[in-house]
C-alpha cells in the first residue's frame, strides 16, 4: 500500500510534552581540546546522518571556530551505512587532516548500533580518549535481505563498543523509540542523539550556535529544536522522561510478544478463528495439545517442542492467500491506522500481484499492478467469501501454489504424528528442528517456491538422520 497526498499526522501532545517545561536546561561544561576535537557520526543513509555533520560544521563557523566535515557514504543510499568525520578546533592550523585517524575520535555518535560496531568505525576509537553515545534501536540493514535468519546479537553489539572504549565511556539508549514517542516520528532520532551527547559535555559548541545552525538549515527547524531539547532533557533525567511517556514498553498496550506458551497458543487460536472459523482453530489446537501431552510423558524439561509446533503449524495453516489479504485490508484496524497516521486529502493505492500474473520472461518474478482506492470495497466483498477456502467451489484453490500450501499442512501434520510415537529425550533436539523448519518458508510466488525447495531438502535430511539414530539405538538395545 502507498499513501499519496495529505500529510503524516502529528500526535496531539499536552503541555507536559514540552521539553522546556520544568527546570531550565542547565548548560553543560563544554570540552576544551588542545588539538582538534574529532566526532564520528555513524548511522543509516536517509535518516539524517549527513545533516548532523552539516549542523556541527555550521555551528562551529557561527562561533568562529575551525571545522572540517567529511561524509563517507560509499555505495550507500537509503538503508546503507553512512558516517561523517567532523573535526572542530579553535584555529584552522590545529586541523592537520580531515579524516579522523585510528584511535583519535573523541566522540562516537552512534545513531545506529549495527553500523557503529563496524571495523571502520571502531578503529577510530580508543580507551581513555573516546566517549560513545549509541542508539540501540534496531534497524533492518541490507544484510538481512540476503540472510533473513541472521540474528540481532544485541548484547554482543554493545559489548563490542564496551570492549573498544570501556564501560564507563559508553552510553546506550533506545533513542529511536524515545524520539518517536516524544516527537511522533523516527526522523527526530539523530537530533535527539546530538542533544543527548551535547548535554553530556561531548560537543565543543554552544547550545546557541547549534540552535542557530538548526534554524539556518531550514527544514523542520522547530521540530529539530524540540528533538535536540528532548535529547538534552533525557541526558539530565532519563527516568523522568520515561515516566512522562508511561510504563515500560513491555507494558504498553499492543505489545507483540507473547509471554508464555499458553499466550502463544491462544493468540494463534484467535487469529485462525478470524482467518477461517472455529473448526479450523480446533484443528490447530488438537495437534498442539497432543504434542504438549506427549512431551510431558517423555519428561522434557522445557516447552521447546510444543512452542515450535505452535508457531510453525500456525504459520502453515494461516498461509496468506487472496481471502486473507482481503480480510486484513477490510479489517477496521487498517482504516483506523490510516486515520491515526495521516491527515488531509490523501489517497490510498494498492499494489497487487494477481494470481495469474507472470513475469515478462520465463523465470522472472511478476510485477505488481497498482489499483486505486476502489479496490477496498472489492476486498471487503472477497473477505466475506473466505468460507470457500479449500472447498471445491474455491476459485483460487485450483492454483498450484494453493494446492502446495494445503499439501504442506498435511505433510507437517503427518510428520509430527509420525515423530511422536518414537520420540524420546535423546531425539528431542532433532524433533524440535524438524518442527521449526517451516520458519524458513518466506515470500510469495517464485521467492516462496525457492524457500519451499530448501525446506523440503532440509526436512528430508533431518528425517533421515533421525531414522538413522533410532536404528542405531535399536541395535544397541
Amino acid at each position: 500500500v502507498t499513501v499519496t497526498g495529505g500529510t503524516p499526522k502529528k500526535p496531539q501532545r499536552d503541555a507536559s510534552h514540552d521539553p522546556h517545561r520544568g527546570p531550565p536546561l542547565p548548560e553543560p561544561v563544554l570540552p576544551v581540546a588542545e588539538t582538534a576535537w574529532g566526532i564520528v557520526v555513524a548511522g543509516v543513509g536517509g535518516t539524517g546522518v549527513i545533516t548532523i555533520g552539516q549542523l556541527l560544521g555550521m555551528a562551529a563557523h557561527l562561533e568562529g571556530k575551525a571545522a572540517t566535515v567529511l561524509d563517507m557514504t560509499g555505495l550507500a543510499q537509503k538503508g546503507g551505512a553512512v558516517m561523517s568525520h567532523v573535526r572542530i578546533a579553535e584555529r584552522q592550523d590545529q586541523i592537520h587532516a580531515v579524516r579522523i585517524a585510528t584511535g583519535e575520535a573523541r566522540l562516537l555518535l552512534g545513531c545506529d548500533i549495527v553500523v557503529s560496531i563496524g571495523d571502520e568505525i571502531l578503529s577510530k576509537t580508543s580507551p581513555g580518549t573516546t566517549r560513545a553515545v549509541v542508539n540501540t534501536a534496531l534497524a533492518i540493514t541490507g544484510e538481512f535481505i540476503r540472510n533473513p535468519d541472521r540474528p540481532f546479537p544485541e548484547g554482543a553489539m554493545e559489548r563490542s563498543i564496551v570492549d573498544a572504549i570501556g564501560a564507563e565511556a559508553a552510553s546506550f539508549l533506545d533513542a529511536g523509540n524515545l524520539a518517536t514517542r516524544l516527537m511522533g516520528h523516527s526522523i527526530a532520532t539523530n537530533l535527539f542523539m546530538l542533544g543527548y551527547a551535547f548535554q553530556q559535555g561531548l560537543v565543543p559548541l554552544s547550545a546557541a550556535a547549534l540552535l542557530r545552525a538548526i534554524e539556518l538549515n531550514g527544514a523542520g527547524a522547530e521540530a529539530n529544536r524540540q528533538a535536540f531539547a528532548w535529547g538534552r532533557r533525557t541526558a539530565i533525567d532519563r527516568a523522568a522522561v520515561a515516566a512522562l511517556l508511561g510504563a515500560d514498553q513491555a507494558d504498553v498496550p499492543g505489545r507483540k510478544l507473547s509471554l508464555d506458551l499458553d499466550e502463544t497458543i491462544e493468540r494463534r487460536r484467535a487469529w485462525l478463528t478470524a482467518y477461517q472459523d472455529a473448526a479450523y482453530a480446533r484443528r490447530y489446537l488438537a495437534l498442539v495439545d497432543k504434542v504438549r501431552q506427549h512431551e510431558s510423558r517423555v519428561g522434557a524439561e522445557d516447552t521447546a517442542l510444543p512452542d515450535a509446533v505452535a508457531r510453525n503449524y500456525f504459520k502453515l495453516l494461516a498461509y496468506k492467500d487472496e481471502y486473507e489479504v482481503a480480510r486484513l485490508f477490510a479489517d477496521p484496524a487498517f482504516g483506523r491506522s490510516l486515520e491515526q497516521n495521516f491527515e488531509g486529502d490523501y489517497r490510498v493505492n494498492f499494489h497487487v500481484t494477481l494470481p495469474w500474473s507472470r513475469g515478462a520472461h520465463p523465470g522472472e518474478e511478476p510485477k505488481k499492478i497498482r489499483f486505486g482506492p476502489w479496490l477496498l470495497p472489492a476486498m471487503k466483498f472477497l473477505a466475506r467469501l473466505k468460507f470457500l477456502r479449500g472447498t471445491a467451489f474455491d476459485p483460487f484453490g485450483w492454483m498450484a501454489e494453493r494446492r502446495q500450501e494445503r499439501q504442506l499442512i498435511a505433510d507437517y501434520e503427518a510428520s509430527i504424528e509420525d515423530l511422536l510415537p518414537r520420540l524420546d529425550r535423546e531425539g528431542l533436539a532433532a524433533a524440535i528442528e524438524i518442527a521449526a523448519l517451516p520458519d524458513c518458508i518466506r515470500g510469495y510466488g517464485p521467492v516462496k517456491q525457492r524457500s519451499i525447495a530448501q525446506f523440503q531438502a532440509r526436512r528430508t535430511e533431518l528425517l533421515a538422520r533421525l531414522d538413522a539414530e533410532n536404528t542405531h539405538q535399536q541395535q544397541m538395545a
Side-chain angles (χ1 to χ4, degrees):
V1 177
T2 55
V3 178
T4 58
T7 56
K9 183 180 290 186
K10 296 180 180 178
Q12 298 297 317
R13 302 295 189 191
D14 58 28
S16 65
H17 281 72
D18 181 351
H20 299 290
R21 180 183 174 89
L25 292 167
E27 292 299 316
V29 177
L30 300 182
V32 177
E34 302 268 338
T35 57
W37 188 270
I39 300 174
V40 175
V41 186
V44 173
T47 64
V49 174
I50 303 301
T51 300
I52 297 296
Q54 294 172 343
L55 291 175
L56 290 169
M58 175 56 72
H61 171 73
L62 293 171
E63 285 198 344
K65 294 183 177 180
T68 59
V69 180
L70 173 64
D71 299 322
M72 304 186 67
T73 60
L75 298 177
Q77 296 179 11
K78 287 190 176 181
V82 173
M83 65 173 161
S84 285
H85 291 227
V86 182
R87 284 183 177 273
I88 301 169
E90 295 296 326
R91 304 183 313 276
Q92 190 65 47
D93 60 12
Q94 291 178 306
I95 301 178
H96 304 293
V98 176
R99 188 186 184 110
I100 296 174
T102 300
E104 289 189 357
R106 302 301 299 271
L107 168 63
L108 166 57
L109 190 64
C111 300
D112 179 87
I113 190 169
V114 178
V115 177
S116 299
I117 63 168
D119 292 340
E120 176 67 14
I121 305 293
L122 289 183
S123 69
K124 309 304 178 188
T125 68
S126 63
T129 299
T130 309
R131 294 278 301 278
V133 176
V134 183
N135 176 23
T136 59
L138 300 178
I140 298 298
T141 64
E143 175 61 24
F144 289 86
I145 298 175
R146 297 184 291 272
N147 181 9
D149 295 313
R150 179 171 181 160
F152 265 122
E154 298 175 58
M157 290 191 288
E158 293 187 13
R159 283 195 299 274
S160 296
I161 295 171
V162 168
D163 290 345
I165 64 175
E168 296 77 14
S171 297
F172 300 98
L173 70 159
D174 189 350
N177 176 47
L178 289 169
T180 300
R181 294 173 68 190
L182 288 165
M183 300 293 297
H185 51 81
S186 62
I187 201 67
T189 301
N190 292 354
L191 263 297
F192 179 94
M193 293 283 293
L194 179 60
Y196 191 97
F198 168 80
Q199 194 61 40
Q200 288 194 327
L202 302 177
V203 179
L205 299 166
S206 68
L210 287 166
L211 291 172
R212 178 58 178 156
I214 290 171
E215 182 181 346
L216 291 173
N217 185 58
E222 179 56 30
N224 286 336
R225 282 195 293 265
Q226 293 276 321
F228 180 75
W230 272 123
R232 296 182 63 187
R233 183 70 69 188
T234 304
I236 295 168
D237 193 344
R238 193 188 304 192
V241 174
L244 173 65
L245 293 173
D248 183 80
Q249 184 73 5
D251 299 323
V252 174
R255 65 175 169 79
K256 296 181 179 181
L257 299 180
S258 299
L259 298 179
D260 54 32
L261 178 58
D262 288 331
E263 187 178 356
T264 296
I265 295 170
E266 173 54 28
R267 294 173 77 167
R268 285 156 177 75
R269 181 207 62 78
W271 185 283
L272 290 172
T273 302
Y275 174 90
Q276 183 70 17
D277 53 32
Y280 200 64
R282 287 195 295 271
R283 176 181 176 182
Y284 166 76
L285 291 177
L287 183 63
V288 175
D289 287 344
K290 183 178 292 187
V291 174
R292 295 186 78 174
Q293 293 169 11
H294 189 87
E295 190 173 53
S296 65
R297 286 198 297 270
V298 299
E301 297 177 356
D302 57 32
T303 60
L305 181 59
D307 187 79
V309 173
R311 296 177 185 278
N312 291 276
Y313 184 37
F314 164 80
K315 178 176 180 176
L316 294 177
L317 286 168
Y319 57 89
K320 193 76 68 69
D321 63 2
E322 293 73 17
Y323 301 112
E324 178 65 353
V325 170
R327 183 184 76 85
L328 293 174
F329 283 128
D331 192 310
F334 173 66
R336 288 195 299 270
S337 70
L338 291 174
E339 293 173 0
Q340 291 168 359
N341 288 283
F342 299 95
E343 59 188 355
D345 185 19
Y346 62 84
R347 173 187 174 92
V348 177
N349 292 308
F350 297 91
H351 301 259
V352 178
T353 299
L354 299 174
W356 52 85
S357 297
R358 295 291 182 270
H361 305 285
E364 186 175 294
E365 296 177 11
K367 304 297 184 183
K368 291 186 181 293
I369 302 172
R370 186 177 67 183
F371 295 89
W374 63 266
L375 190 64
L376 187 56
M379 286 187 173
K380 291 179 178 178
F381 174 75
L382 180 60
R384 291 197 291 268
L385 300 180
K386 66 180 182 179
F387 64 89
L388 296 175
R389 180 188 282 124
T391 70
F393 302 101
D394 182 357
F396 306 106
W398 56 268
M399 294 189 302
E401 188 172 353
R402 300 291 167 258
R403 293 198 303 269
Q404 185 180 48
E405 284 162 340
R406 294 196 297 272
Q407 187 61 48
L408 286 171
I409 295 171
D411 291 346
Y412 188 83
E413 291 170 336
S415 294
I416 299 301
E417 293 280 3
D418 181 59
L419 280 173
L420 293 181
R422 53 201 183 103
L423 183 64
D424 54 26
R425 298 183 67 175
E426 285 69 26
L428 189 59
I432 293 170
E433 190 171 355
I434 292 169
L437 276 176
D439 187 54
C440 72
I441 300 176
R442 311 284 169 82
Y444 303 93
V447 175
K448 188 171 186 176
Q449 292 303 311
R450 290 193 291 269
S451 65
I452 288 176
Q454 295 171 356
F455 155 80
Q456 291 172 332
R458 181 59 176 160
R459 182 180 60 184
T460 299
E461 176 187 338
L462 287 172
L463 288 172
R465 190 178 78 188
L466 188 61
D467 287 338
E469 289 176 355
N470 287 337
T471 300
H472 177 71
Q473 290 176 7
Q474 290 172 2
Q475 291 173 345
M476 294 295 292

